[in-house]
Amino acid sequence: MTADRRTDRRARRGKRGAERAARPVSHRRRPAVRGGRPLLALLLSGFLLVGVCAATGIAWDPLGGTPAQNATARGALPAQPTGPGSAPGAGDPGAPQPEQSPPPTKGAAAKGNPQGAVDSGAGRPAGALPFDMPQPAALRSGEAGGKLVFAHYFTPYPLSLDNADADRDYYTRNYLNPDGESGKHGRYGGLLRDRPLPVAPKSGDWEYANLQQEVRTARAAGIDGFTLDLLSLSGKNWDRSNLLMAAARSVDPAFKIMLMPDMTSLKTDDPRVLAEALATLADASAAHRLPDGRLVVSPFKAEAKNVAWWTEVIRILRADHGIRTAFVPLFLDFGAHSGEFAPISHGFSEWGSRSYVGQESSTRDVRRAHGMGKIWMQPVSVQDARPNQGIYDEAGNTATLRATWTRAIEDGADWVQLTTWNDYSEGSQFAPSLHNGHAYLDLTSYYLTRFKTGDWPKIVRDTLYLTARTQFADADPTGDQSLLMSLRKGSAPARDTVEVLSFLTSPAAVSTTVGTTRSSHDAPAGIHAELLPLKAGTSGAHVVRGGKATAEVDLPYRVDHAVDVQDLQYYAATSGREP
């Protein structure tokens, strides 16, 4: 590419970025559309699932739902992918794929799996955390049991879409690959930049087994349940919602699923239709209820319908189904709607900001909710980068995760929602992923324990968390990507940093390598975040005390100046886990 062509392209991108910046975009805005629509199961698994669902009382129609009903859309977006859940064809993981299709060689898929990481679903290894995690009973009883932590579950992105090996499965071929799904995601460099930590193909009812595995992983982290994003009332996402209810009950009867009808996606104006769907899911014992038996319903963007509409949903649930409701609406604009919704609400929540600045409003929101006699569910997040919308927030390595947890703890939130467990199209996942491993989930367990118990856990082993991007914030991709992400209004400024977050039993020196630059810093006992300038190459760190290394961590993904696809997510690694 000539210098003139590169200059022209940058000028065009700069104009597009200025136009995007000129449009007000809410920090609390959910995506307009979500790429693909995952396929629920292969036909054989569907037959096996009939028996499971019959035993649990769940309606099952493996072929039900039209492509429109199966959509995960939240509005219109050009070049809607065909993806899983759509009519069978080249974009359907259940359909035969062309043998001549080349493996992906660029984008997130090109980074591959350098350590051959596979999520076996085994429990946390001894020594994974800097502290000793309390037993589940201790986190679920007494005052700790009243401080609930949920993770927002997004049905389009389960552990596997097609039960294939990770090097050739649907995520790799079509979501991480800019040329995937017949090039429908080419203009933004591919639908995703990360994916669930790969799982080995399973025999039998593999999707049910994978959902059970996700429940076990969340439970081991101290999470009380999932908030289930109900994207549709029929089709593939609805089927997977029902299956998750059964999986949760089979793994742990105490693990609860909070129903969250998504009002940016559900296409019904009839309160009776929604009430009947909620009643169907409420039949499952995993449905989250208060101790007094009320079913918790927490609609996403509740303000999409007025108070009279929701009052009718609540009335129908009681009159026709005998279900009393604890209504906990989640708003995109809490301040504008809390007053009118207060008479019908048990509590409130908001989607929240995804940058470490601007978190001060949380204190005001909690106080307002408590002043009305309502509970507050605080959003806690790690980061947000959305290639298909051309926006991202500056998360500041782990600064956003730590800031949002701090607000939940210090402001006295009643519940927490991790936003999200597995929405990879937002880059907001806490779940174990290919590029983050278990790092963010392990960090969350530390803050979760403080939130629930009221005491900071004692650090009993040195542990390091290392985070960095694999490219510089102003990198100009050399590939065919035409839509680039720009900072969302109100975000912290972009930065190019490596963060070494240390949890130490006593003061020690921390030696670091960033590219070819070697350095060392003294870190105190407890938690300390050290920022280093991002350099080309890989990064690593190790703790030295008394001349001996006690903990070490490497981030295996290389930072380059020249990149093919824009990727502004932070990658993470922890010394508490084997590579």
Side-chain angles (χ1 to χ4, degrees):
M1 178 178 294
T2 66
D4 288 343
R5 288 178 63 193
R6 184 180 295 275
T7 300
D8 290 343
R9 190 177 67 175
R10 285 177 173 168
R12 291 195 299 271
R13 287 174 174 169
K15 181 179 179 181
R16 287 193 297 269
E19 290 171 348
R20 288 194 299 272
R23 297 194 297 268
V25 180
S26 169
H27 276 275
R28 297 158 178 83
R29 186 71 55 193
R30 204 54 198 266
V33 74
R34 304 285 197 217
R37 294 161 292 197
L39 185 68
L40 182 61
L42 297 175
L43 185 57
L44 176 58
S45 298
F47 287 135
L48 291 169
L49 196 53
V50 171
V52 173
C53 294
T56 57
I58 295 176
W60 173 246
D61 178 9
L63 301 179
T66 65
Q69 291 171 322
N70 298 343
T72 65
R74 305 193 169 165
L77 183 79
Q80 173 107 352
T82 52
S86 60
D92 188 332
Q97 299 298 317
E99 293 298 328
Q100 68 272 22
S101 297
T105 56
K106 56 184 179 179
K111 296 183 177 70
N113 190 354
Q115 296 171 312
V118 173
D119 187 357
S120 66
R124 266 190 174 136
L129 304 178
F131 69 107
D132 291 330
M133 186 81 178
Q135 293 298 313
L139 296 176
R140 291 176 171 178
S141 60
E143 293 186 7
K147 305 281 280 189
L148 301 178
V149 177
F150 295 88
H152 185 91
Y153 193 92
F154 193 60
T155 52
Y157 302 124
L159 294 182
S160 176
L161 295 168
D162 52 7
N163 202 36
D165 287 319
D167 61 353
R168 57 180 177 83
D169 70 358
Y170 204 86
Y171 280 112
T172 296
R173 296 195 321 271
N174 290 296
Y175 284 173
L176 297 174
N177 181 6
D179 298 325
E181 294 199 319
S182 302
K184 292 180 180 179
H185 311 295
R187 71 187 187 99
Y188 37 87
L191 179 63
L192 308 181
R193 299 297 186 267
D194 198 3
R195 57 164 297 160
L197 193 59
V199 292
K202 295 178 173 67
S203 60
D205 192 353
W206 57 270
E207 185 161 24
Y208 183 67
N210 284 344
L211 288 170
Q212 290 176 311
Q213 179 171 321
E214 291 196 82
V215 171
R216 285 193 295 270
T217 299
R219 179 186 61 178
I223 294 170
D224 295 291
F226 288 138
T227 46
L228 175 57
D229 192 331
L230 299 173
L231 292 162
S232 60
L233 304 182
S234 62
K236 305 304 181 183
N237 289 310
W238 172 252
D239 293 336
R240 188 170 286 121
S241 296
N242 280 277
L243 193 58
L244 178 61
M245 304 295 286
R249 184 186 70 173
S250 71
V251 170
D252 182 357
F255 191 89
K256 298 303 180 184
I257 309 296
M258 187 190 307
L259 304 182
M260 185 168 281
D262 193 322
M263 305 315 293
T264 66
S265 179
L266 295 178
K267 304 304 180 185
T268 180
D269 292 321
D270 188 345
R272 189 170 300 278
V273 170
L274 180 58
E276 290 177 354
L278 293 173
T280 298
L281 294 172
D283 282 342
S285 61
H288 177 46
R289 295 177 182 268
L290 299 183
D292 64 10
R294 284 181 292 166
L295 176 73
V296 179
V297 177
S298 181
F300 179 88
K301 196 182 179 183
E303 66 263 45
K305 301 294 184 183
N306 60 32
V307 172
W309 195 90
W310 285 113
T311 300
E312 182 64 4
V313 172
I314 294 169
R315 186 198 68 79
I316 294 170
L317 281 170
R318 181 64 182 268
D320 294 1
H321 304 282
I323 297 173
R324 295 181 301 122
T325 304
F327 192 61
V328 184
L330 185 153
F331 301 108
L332 296 188
D333 190 343
F334 170 67
H337 299 284
S338 57
E340 62 189 285
F341 275 79
I344 66 169
S345 299
H346 174 73
F348 297 120
S349 187
E350 192 173 43
W351 195 239
S353 169
R354 300 288 181 76
S355 188
Y356 59 94
V357 299
Q359 296 293 335
E360 299 79 9
S361 63
S362 169
T363 304
R364 178 198 63 212
D365 293 343
V366 175
R367 288 175 179 172
R368 178 181 295 177
H370 286 171
M372 295 179 178
K374 313 299 180 183
I375 69 162
W376 177 257
M377 182 166 67
Q378 174 70 17
V380 168
S381 56
V382 59
Q383 60 182 332
D384 193 321
R386 310 180 185 185
N388 66 347
Q389 294 181 58
I391 55 174
Y392 78 102
D393 286 293
E394 177 51 66
N397 300 85
T398 68
T400 295
L401 185 153
R402 291 181 283 118
T404 51
W405 262 120
T406 299
R407 292 272 56 84
I409 292 167
E410 294 185 355
D411 294 340
D414 304 282
W415 299 349
V416 157
Q417 179 181 207
L418 305 179
T419 56
T420 63
W421 176 255
N422 64 333
D423 192 344
Y424 294 90
S425 57
E426 287 184 356
S428 58
Q429 63 278 358
F430 278 82
S433 72
L434 180 61
H435 296 154
N436 300 319
H438 291 75
Y440 295 134
L441 194 58
D442 286 353
L443 269 174
T444 279
S445 291
Y446 181 82
Y447 290 94
L448 175 152
T449 300
R450 167 61 177 84
F451 173 74
K452 281 179 158 287
T453 67
D455 296 317
W456 288 107
K458 181 182 179 181
I459 297 174
V460 297
R461 61 188 64 87
D462 295 336
T463 308
L464 298 176
Y465 297 88
L466 190 62
T467 54
R469 291 194 177 105
T470 60
Q471 56 190 243
F472 296 87
D474 65 352
D476 187 18
T478 59
D480 297 329
Q481 183 177 354
S482 60
L483 175 63
L484 296 182
M485 290 180 282
S486 59
L487 275 174
R488 191 156 26 185
K489 184 179 179 181
S491 173
R495 74 188 202 190
D496 294 320
T497 51
V498 176
E499 181 191 87
V500 183
L501 185 64
S502 56
F503 287 67
L504 300 183
T505 59
S506 61
V510 179
S511 296
T512 59
T513 302
V514 180
T516 59
T517 302
R518 297 179 182 273
S519 61
S520 179
H521 64 269
D522 293 327
I527 305 175
H528 175 74
E530 187 78 11
L531 294 180
L532 306 168
L534 187 68
K535 306 281 187 180
T538 58
S539 300
H542 61 274
V543 177
V544 179
R545 187 185 294 107
K548 298 176 62 176
T550 65
E552 57 183 317
V553 60
D554 292 299
L555 198 58
Y557 297 100
R558 179 178 176 82
V559 178
D560 290 308
H561 285 285
V563 297
D564 189 71
V565 168
Q566 186 190 40
D567 183 359
L568 296 182
Q569 290 187 75
Y570 282 95
Y571 290 43
T574 170
S575 66
R577 302 270 184 167
E578 288 292 332

